Each structure stands twice: as C-alpha cells, then as structure tokens.
Amino acid sequence: MANTTCDCPAPSCNTTTPVLPEAVIKVFTIDFKAPDITELMGPRFEEYKNGQVKIDVSVVSGFDTLFSEIENDARLGLGLFDVFITPPTIMGSVAPYNGFTDLTTYIQENYLEEWLDIFPGYREIIASYNGKILMTPFDGDLLHLFYNKEILDYYNFDSPRTWQEYNDIAEQVHGKIFPPTNKTLMGSCIGRLPQCAGPYWAMQVLSSMTQTKGSSEGSLFDTKDMSPLTNDALVETLKIFEKQFKYGHPTELEGCIEINMPAMKDEECVLTLNWGNAFLSNLIPGKLGIDKAPGSQKVLDRETGKLVTCTKELCPNAVYYDDIGFVNYAPYAAFGGWSGAVNGNISDEKKKLAMEFLTFSASKEQSSKLVIPQVGSREADAGYDPYRLSHMNEEDYVKQGFDRETTDAYLGTIKEGLLSPNLVVDIRFPEATKMMSILDTAVINHLNETKGVTATDQMRRDIVKDATADMKKVISEYDSRAHMEKSEKILPQYQKLRGVYGELNEDKNLIGDVRWIGYALGFVIIAMALLFSGWVAINRKHRVVRISQPIFLHLICLGVLVLSSAIFPLGIDDTDSNEQGRNAACASIPWLVSLGFSLVFSALFSKLWRINRVFAAAASLKRVVVTEKDVLKPFAVLMTLNFVILLSWTLVDPMVFERVYTDELTSYGRCMPQGNEWKGFIATLAILNFIALIIVNVQAYHARSINDELSESKYIGLVTLSMFQIFIVGVPLLVIVYNDPSAYFFVWCGIIFIICTTILLLIFVPKIVRWKSKSTNQSATASRFSTNTKWSHGNNASHASAHSQQE
C-alpha cells in the first residue's frame, strides 16, 4: 500500500496529537493537599469538561507560607492563581481586601439545592464572611472522642461525659496490664508537639467552658469586645491537661497526631481525641468506640471571669444527667476542614470557570467518593469527613466495608455536633495563627514546668496572665497599623466572620436613659390625679365639691390617669422586651391617648351642659330636674364612638413595633401601622375629639356669666387655650424629631405632662382655694359665735352671783 503524503505542516497532519485545552485553571495549595487535587479532583473535572480544561496545581510547604502567599496576592491584587485550596483560617486576612470572589449569586443561581445539603455550620459560618459566601467546603472537621470499647467494658466504664470523667478513667486504667492483650495501658494518648495540633486540644477543652450560646458569642475571644476568654477557664484547662499528661503517652511532647491513633490501633491506649476521619482507617474493627468530645459542668461567667455551675439558663444547649446535672458540650470543628476559594483579582470569565470547578468538586456525587471511600482505597487515605446531610447514610458506608455499629456511632456524633447550636469554629481573623500559637505555648510551657512536680493555682494563673497579655498585645499592635494597611481593626473582622457585625455594632438609636425621665413625669401626673381624686372623695359633702359635681371631677382624674399612662408604652423599644410585648404596647398607645382626651372633655362637657340647662330653665322661670344619669348620655355616646373607631383600627391595621433601617448599621425603632387604613381611623378620631373640644368651649361660653364657683368656664377656657398653644408648638416638634426616638419620646412626654398638669391644676386648685377659704370663714364664724355665747353666759353668771350676794 502506497504511503500518502500531505503538504500541510507536520503537527496539523499528526492525527494522534491531543487537542490542547482551551483553558487552564491554576490551583494553589499546600503540598499536604496537592495529591488530592492532582490525583482525585482535577482529573475528574478535566474528564467532565471533555479535556477542554486543564487543572494546573502549584504547591508550597507549610501553612505559614501558604497563608502568606494567599494574603499577599489579595493585598497586591496580583491574581496569580485562580483557585485556592486552603483551610478557612485565612479568610479573615483576605476578605477585607476582596481577595476572594463573592460566590453568593453564583450559588443561588446554579448550586442552591446542592448548597442547602451542606450542614448549616459550614455554609453559614465557616464559608461566609459578613453574610457573603466566599468559600466552598470540601471537608468537614469535627473533633471526636475515641476509646477502646473492649477496655472500657472490661473495667466497667461508660464513655466519659465530662473532662473530669475522662481524667478519672485515664487515672484508673493507666499502667495496668490488660489481660486479653497482656499490654500495659496508657490512660490518654494526645500528641502535644509544639506548633502542631496542640492548640486544637486546648480549644476543645476551653470551649466547653467558655461558649454556651453558639458560635456568635465566641469561644476564645468575646465577639462583643475582643476580650480573651481565658481567666478561670484557661486555669481549669491547664489543670485538666496536667492529669491527662500525667496519665498519658510517654512521648506526648515529642509527637503530633501520630501519637493519638497508632497507640489506639495497638490497643495500648484507652482514650484520645482526633478528627473523625481517623475512623476511615478502620483501626480496630468492632472495638473502636466513637463519641462526642466531653463537656464541662462548669462554665465561664463573662462578667466576673469566674467559673460557675452550668444551669439551663446559662447553658441553654446543655444536656442534663440525673447524677451530675447539666453538662455543656461544645462540638469543635477544629481547623475548619478544607475549602476552596476563587481569586477575586482574575477576569470574570476565569471566575466563572473556577466557580464551576469548585462546585463540581464539592457536589454530592463527587464529594461522596472522597467522604465515603472503599475501605483501604486511596480516597480513604485522603481523610475527608462528612459535611453534607447526604453523607449521613449509614448503608453507604456499610457497602464500602465499614463496620455498622462503629459507623452508626461515627455518623451520630457528626450529625449531633454539626447540627448543634453551640458548634465551635476557629477564630479565623487576621493574626489567628499567632493567637493559637500563644495558646499552644502556654500549655506546653506549663506542662514542661510542672513535669514531675505538683502545680499550684498561682503557677497556672501566672501562665494565663502572660498568655492573656500576649493576646491583647497582638490585637493592639495589629489595630495600630490597620489604618496604614487600609484594613479594619480585628474586632469588626472577627464579628463579620461570626455573622454578628451588624447585630453587635448597629446603632439602634434606643430611647436610653431619657426613658426614666419620661416615666418620672408619668408617675408625677398619676400621683397628682390620685391625690385630687382622693380630695374629692374625702370632701364630697362639702358645698364647694358638691356643687362642682364629684362624679365629673372623678372622671376628669380618670381621664388624666388614662392619658398619662400612654407615656409608658411610648417608652418601649427592643432593649428588654419581646416582639409580642412591643406590639401590644404600640397597639395600646392610640387607645390611651384618645380615651384619655375623651374622658376629660366628655366630663367637662357634661358638667357644663347640666349647669347651663339648670340656669336656662331658671331664667325662664321653669322648674327642671337634670340628673347625673341624663348628662351621662352624651358622655356615653362620645366614649362609645371612640371605642368603636379604636377597636376597628386595632382589628384592621394595628400599630406594631418595627425597626427602620437608614443604612447598613443605623436604624431606629418605631410604632408603625402595617397598612394605610390607619390614616382614615386617625383622621376620624381627630375630627371627633376636635368637635368635642369645640362643643366644650361652646358650653363654656354659654356659662361665662354664671358664677365661677358653678361654671368654671374661665378655667376651662384657659385649659383649652393652653392645649391649643401646646399643639401649635408640640406637633411641629414631633415632626422634626420623628427619626430621633429619644427626642420624639421626650417631646411626647412633655406634651402629655403639660396637658395633664394644666387640666388638673386649673380645675382643682381654684376649688381647693375656695374650699380652704370657706372652711376658714366657717371656723371664724363658729369661733365668734362661741366667744359671744361664752361672754353672755359669763355675764349672766356674774349677775346671778351678785343677786345672790345681795340677798
């Protein structure tokens, strides 16, 4: 067969030459993780893209170098790599410089169902910064308690629930010969090599005492003010470690995690801590016990820095045991697992492709191949823990060769931990590595110093004092240069990592201490109303009170009481009240204001109307009887109309407490209606009560010629004039200060106080003056009558005496 030739260049004629990929995704990671990318994730994505994409992996050695390179790329905006595979610890150092791409929109549009399958702690906390999704989880990390079931059963121990029980078991089995294996036992095996996993063991113990109400409050630092949560909690942690160390592996200070599980596999170790993926090594099938890390019966009081007994109120997520009480558990996602991030300084086209690589690699299908591997496979050695709800199927593990009972314990512990409201995550803010190193150094130094000697409480406190001072120094030094480096201080970054930045830093414009001034004014009005009402009751038979019609005077006092009571719900905000209470307070304000006004002016109207009818009849020489029952009818009509309107308003469009945001971190609380119907109701109420006010003034005008002792028209006129002036000044002021809750509340209190005191003083003080004057006149008259009588009787006696003497 003849050879065929062609004139085209050789490369284009070579049909065996592979097609070059159209795109390259440059991945940057550490040498520890590089094999997983190059051997497992990368090839699968390349196959998925039909060879049109190439995964190019660059690696460095050591976490410090990894973090430094990623942070420099972000600070300088280099865009040297497309994807970072890293622990999420670096997030706080990169996010302020927009070094990671915001994945939120992409995930919502292309990956939402897959995203919601991830445990909340990973997707809402570990992968997020200030409400934005910046990373995609590849691995779940949760510390577990591992133990040899056969040994614990032999010595009749249950799995330890607390650190005290952990140490008690370690003490009682340490150094004993275990008959079934004839091996000398070690009570606890935890590698504490400096700059290795040591700070994670310390954080696990410390967090069980410092964090009780969720990751938003922090476990090593308080998210409110960046205070180190050390004090007595770290002192107690050192005390716990002393005993673990005493009954532990002889080379604990010389080894890292290789101390923990190999000794367990050799059946020499009884208790240890480790990440869950140690289960995948299938160490001692049928004998490996797995449980949640122990908890604490004592927790830190953040106000005093002292440890106190855990209670349901202090530890809302605690577990109660009949024999020991409440135990606070703090499941710790130590290290945070491995996550992927897209460089924020690359082209949009590259970002989209990088996002696709991350979401493909972390998908349910692909992640299951790593998290649920065949026993003894390459994937099993990669050591990935579950981080999805779909990873929780026990049958999937059994099919891959894992023991059912151990798998059940493993998955149960993970599910309980990752769904716990008290999940602990690493600090992750800038300088986090230094903070963990300070904690690690404190523990190592203390164990070295107390080796072979009995530690004192003062020795522990000295260590804690130094560690706390070092942590504060790191924060201070970073914050002092943050402005120059165009970065935020550590506290706001820490809060954004915990999702509490807006919540803790929001300027809510609360009413504050001015509330107590308003309440004091309210109590003054109430005291005055009760005092005047009491005076009326005591002197109800006195002519001054009787002709002023006591029932209406009592109604005026009642109206003032109701109106002044509006001050108290006006002073409510979301400082120390629940939503139901705030809404009820808001709904009550229109009732109190409207009914208070109506009570006062209905009483004044009825009072004047009765007098006017009597005097009008007298002027026409007619006899008329006007009972209190008669004049209460217009009063009842006005009150009924107010009641019906207010009830309709409450049912149709009630006032509720809402927070109005003016920007991301500024808001104010306000009682607001939910719809627009309120305008009609308030207009109707205003017209109704304004008409009542006019009618009162008309009645007062008709009574102007009647003796003030009977009509009080002059004083009622002064009351209405004063109210008119108050409204002219007060209403515009309320509009001006509407967005300032403190000023708004104070102006309202001032208006109510002036109105109420004006009504009370002008209505009652003249009566009290007349009452006192008449009482004085009556006393003087009685005194004169008594004197005259005595003088007359005296003369008669003298005369009788003289007459007797003459006889």
Side-chain angles (χ1 to χ4, degrees):
M1 183 175 181
N3 292 330
T4 59
T5 60
C6 66
D7 297 329
C8 59
S12 61
C13 293
N14 187 351
T15 57
T16 61
T17 301
V19 178
L20 294 176
E22 295 180 357
V24 175
I25 299 177
K26 294 180 286 185
V27 179
F28 183 67
T29 188
I30 195 172
D31 52 7
F32 175 70
K33 194 50 58 178
D36 300 339
I37 310 299
T38 56
E39 298 176 24
L40 301 175
M41 300 181 192
R44 291 172 187 168
F45 185 70
E46 290 174 354
E47 181 180 358
Y48 169 73
K49 298 297 288 184
N50 297 317
Q52 299 301 299
V53 176
K54 173 70 176 176
I55 302 299
D56 180 25
V57 183
S58 298
V59 300
V60 291
S61 297
F63 288 107
D64 288 344
T65 305
L66 175 71
F67 294 157
S68 177
E69 291 292 336
I70 296 175
E71 185 175 352
N72 286 337
D73 191 286
R75 284 173 176 269
L76 300 175
L78 301 177
L80 298 178
F81 305 98
D82 305 318
V83 171
F84 302 111
I85 305 296
T86 173
T89 309
I90 188 63
M91 186 187 288
S93 300
V94 174
Y97 301 100
N98 298 315
F100 289 165
T101 298
D102 183 358
L103 307 175
T104 308
T105 302
Y106 179 85
I107 285 174
Q108 290 174 343
E109 295 177 353
N110 303 283
Y111 192 66
L112 186 58
E113 183 181 349
E114 293 265 2
W115 187 251
L116 295 178
D117 182 54
I118 298 173
F119 277 104
Y122 282 99
R123 70 171 189 261
E124 295 174 4
I125 302 174
I126 294 177
S128 299
Y129 181 89
N130 201 27
K132 299 177 181 179
I133 302 170
L134 298 187
M135 304 190 84
T136 301
F138 283 147
D139 174 30
D141 269 339
L142 192 69
L143 287 186
H144 298 251
L145 168 72
F146 289 93
Y147 60 93
N148 188 305
K149 291 194 295 182
E150 187 178 37
I151 297 174
L152 258 60
D153 289 344
Y154 182 87
Y155 290 106
N156 198 29
F157 288 122
D158 293 324
S159 172
R161 299 167 294 179
T162 67
W163 298 111
Q164 182 63 48
E165 291 183 351
Y166 181 103
N167 285 349
D168 289 344
I169 293 172
E171 180 179 6
Q172 294 185 52
V173 301
H174 187 74
K176 291 186 176 179
I177 305 296
F178 184 50
T181 61
N182 202 35
K183 292 184 177 181
T184 303
L185 298 178
M186 292 173 283
S188 172
C189 303
I190 299 178
R192 305 183 190 275
L193 181 71
Q195 306 303 317
C196 188
Y200 299 120
W201 319 135
M203 279 288 292
Q204 177 65 84
V205 177
L206 183 71
S207 297
S208 65
M209 291 177 267
T210 57
Q211 181 175 298
T212 61
K213 298 176 182 177
S215 60
S216 62
E217 66 174 0
S219 56
L220 183 57
F221 293 90
D222 195 322
T223 53
K224 291 182 179 179
D225 55 12
M226 212 63 214
S227 299
L229 299 173
T230 47
N231 302 313
D232 281 10
L234 186 51
V235 169
E236 184 67 17
T237 299
L238 294 176
K239 189 184 297 185
I240 290 169
F241 281 171
E242 290 164 17
K243 214 165 189 181
Q244 287 182 3
F245 186 60
K246 182 178 180 180
Y247 303 111
H249 196 286
T251 61
E252 278 193 358
L253 295 179
E254 301 166 16
C256 193
I257 56 175
E258 67 270 12
I259 294 291
N260 300 40
M261 300 315 293
M264 184 69 65
K265 184 176 182 180
D266 292 338
E267 299 189 65
E268 295 176 328
C269 186
V270 181
L271 301 169
T272 191
L273 294 175
N274 211 325
W275 284 270
N277 56 51
F279 158 76
L280 300 177
S281 300
N282 207 33
L283 297 172
I284 43 176
K287 297 181 181 181
L288 185 66
I290 305 175
D291 205 344
K292 58 179 174 288
S296 175
Q297 293 171 262
K298 296 180 180 180
V299 294
L300 182 69
D301 182 332
R302 298 193 179 196
E303 296 296 324
T304 64
K306 304 295 183 182
L307 290 179
V308 296
T309 301
C310 179
T311 64
K312 187 61 178 176
E313 291 71 29
L314 293 173
C315 319
N317 304 300
V319 176
Y320 180 77
Y321 299 100
D322 290 336
D323 56 333
I324 60 175
F326 287 99
V327 176
N328 183 61
Y329 290 101
Y332 180 28
F335 190 77
W338 292 91
S339 296
V342 175
N343 197 323
N345 297 297
I346 58 177
S347 67
D348 291 341
E349 184 179 355
K350 266 298 185 68
K351 285 179 182 178
K352 186 175 181 180
L353 188 60
M355 291 177 193
E356 189 178 1
F357 168 65
L358 290 183
T359 53
F360 170 84
S361 301
S363 64
K364 295 180 185 178
E365 179 183 356
Q366 298 302 321
S367 64
S368 294
K369 296 175 182 178
L370 293 172
V371 173
I372 314 175
Q374 182 72 36
V375 171
S377 66
R378 163 72 180 85
E379 286 81 356
D381 292 336
Y384 286 83
D385 272 336
Y387 59 93
R388 290 182 171 277
L389 295 170
S390 57
H391 294 158
M392 293 290 104
N393 189 350
E394 180 181 306
E395 295 301 324
D396 292 340
Y397 291 83
V398 174
K399 289 177 183 178
Q400 297 289 59
F402 292 96
D403 171 73
R404 182 180 296 276
E405 184 178 356
T406 311
T407 299
D408 181 66
Y410 169 65
L411 295 181
T413 302
I414 288 178
K415 190 171 184 179
E416 181 181 357
L418 295 185
L419 290 177
S420 170
N422 202 36
L423 181 69
V424 177
V425 297
D426 281 325
I427 47 182
R428 298 177 297 149
F429 52 71
E431 311 289 26
T433 303
K434 289 183 180 179
M435 298 299 188
M436 296 295 275
S437 178
I438 291 171
L439 181 62
D440 188 33
T441 301
V443 172
I444 298 302
N445 287 347
H446 181 69
L447 294 179
N448 274 318
E449 290 175 7
T450 58
K451 191 186 301 182
V453 300
T454 301
T456 64
D457 198 54
Q458 187 58 50
M459 293 171 66
R460 301 183 192 105
R461 291 192 179 281
D462 288 342
I463 287 287
V464 172
K465 181 180 178 181
D466 291 342
T468 304
D470 289 343
M471 290 177 180
K472 290 182 176 180
K473 182 179 179 182
V474 170
I475 295 171
S476 177
E477 290 178 349
Y478 182 90
D479 287 349
S480 65
R481 64 176 188 271
H483 179 70
M484 293 184 294
E485 296 181 0
K486 298 181 179 179
S487 178
E488 293 179 302
K489 294 183 177 181
I490 286 184
L491 178 58
Q493 295 190 55
Y494 183 37
Q495 292 171 339
K496 289 177 180 179
L497 286 161
R498 296 302 172 104
V500 295
Y501 177 67
E503 177 184 341
L504 294 179
N505 293 278
E506 177 184 328
D507 182 3
K508 292 187 174 183
N509 288 302
L510 298 172
I511 293 175
D513 291 339
V514 73
R515 175 189 289 111
W516 307 114
I517 299 176
Y519 289 174
L521 294 177
F523 283 121
V524 168
I525 300 170
I526 291 171
M528 289 175 63
L530 292 175
L531 182 65
F532 287 132
S533 184
W535 175 81
V536 171
I538 293 171
N539 298 281
R540 63 188 179 279
K541 295 183 179 180
H542 194 284
R543 182 176 181 275
V544 171
V545 177
R546 189 158 35 84
I547 65 175
S548 296
Q549 305 169 82
I551 186 173
F552 297 115
L553 294 178
H554 283 304
L555 286 174
I556 290 171
C557 290
L558 177 61
V560 168
L561 280 172
V562 173
L563 177 57
S564 63
S565 297
I567 288 176
F568 300 98
L570 277 167
I572 200 168
D573 56 28
D574 41 8
T575 307
D576 295 305
S577 59
N578 57 30
E579 182 180 2
Q580 184 178 3
R582 291 192 295 272
N583 290 342
C586 288
S588 72
I589 293 171
W591 285 85
L592 297 173
V593 172
S594 183
L595 292 181
F597 274 115
S598 297
L599 277 167
V600 170
F601 288 104
S602 296
L604 290 174
F605 166 77
S606 299
K607 185 176 185 298
L608 291 170
W609 183 63
R610 183 185 189 189
I611 292 173
N612 283 333
R613 286 199 61 189
V614 170
F615 272 81
S620 60
L621 302 177
K622 294 180 180 179
R623 185 176 183 276
V624 63
V625 178
V626 183
T627 66
E628 291 180 348
K629 183 178 180 181
D630 292 331
V631 296
L632 282 174
K633 290 179 181 178
F635 171 85
V637 170
L638 183 59
M639 294 303 298
T640 301
L641 289 174
N642 270 275
F643 180 84
V644 171
I645 296 169
L646 287 166
L647 181 62
S648 301
W649 183 359
T650 304
L651 294 175
V652 174
D653 189 12
M655 300 284 281
V656 296
F657 186 89
E658 289 188 2
R659 187 149 286 284
V660 180
Y661 285 86
T662 54
D663 57 46
E664 183 182 358
L665 291 178
T666 306
S667 66
Y668 60 89
R670 175 71 69 241
C671 289
M672 302 178 67
Q674 296 174 301
N676 292 316
E677 292 82 357
W678 66 277
K679 297 177 181 178
F681 291 115
I682 200 169
T684 306
L685 282 172
I687 292 171
L688 177 65
N689 288 288
F690 183 71
I691 291 173
L693 182 62
I694 291 176
I695 293 174
V696 168
N697 280 273
V698 170
Q699 291 295 323
Y701 178 77
H702 287 314
R704 68 190 184 281
S705 60
I706 301 173
N707 190 313
D708 283 343
E709 186 176 19
L710 297 173
S711 71
E712 304 163 300
S713 59
K714 178 173 67 177
Y715 301 111
I716 293 172
L718 289 173
V719 167
T720 55
L721 178 62
S722 299
M723 290 180 60
F724 182 68
Q725 292 174 331
I726 293 166
F727 283 128
I728 288 177
V729 176
V731 172
L733 271 177
L734 287 173
V735 175
I736 292 171
V737 300
Y738 183 75
N739 294 336
D740 185 339
S742 295
Y744 185 77
F745 171 72
F746 186 77
V747 171
W748 255 118
C749 291
I751 291 174
I752 293 174
F753 180 78
I754 295 173
I755 289 174
C756 291
T757 52
T758 300
I759 292 170
L760 291 174
L761 295 176
L762 288 175
I763 296 297
F764 287 94
V765 170
K767 289 177 176 49
I768 293 173
V769 171
R770 285 197 297 271
W771 165 79
K772 187 174 182 182
S773 175
K774 286 184 178 296
S775 296
T776 302
N777 291 338
Q778 289 175 357
S779 297
T781 301
S783 177
R784 286 196 301 272
F785 177 78
S786 175
T787 302
N788 291 336
T789 302
K790 183 177 180 182
W791 179 82
S792 175
H793 287 172
N795 287 343
N796 289 340
S798 299
H799 178 75
S801 176
H803 179 73
S804 174
Q805 288 174 354
Q806 288 175 356
E807 289 181 343

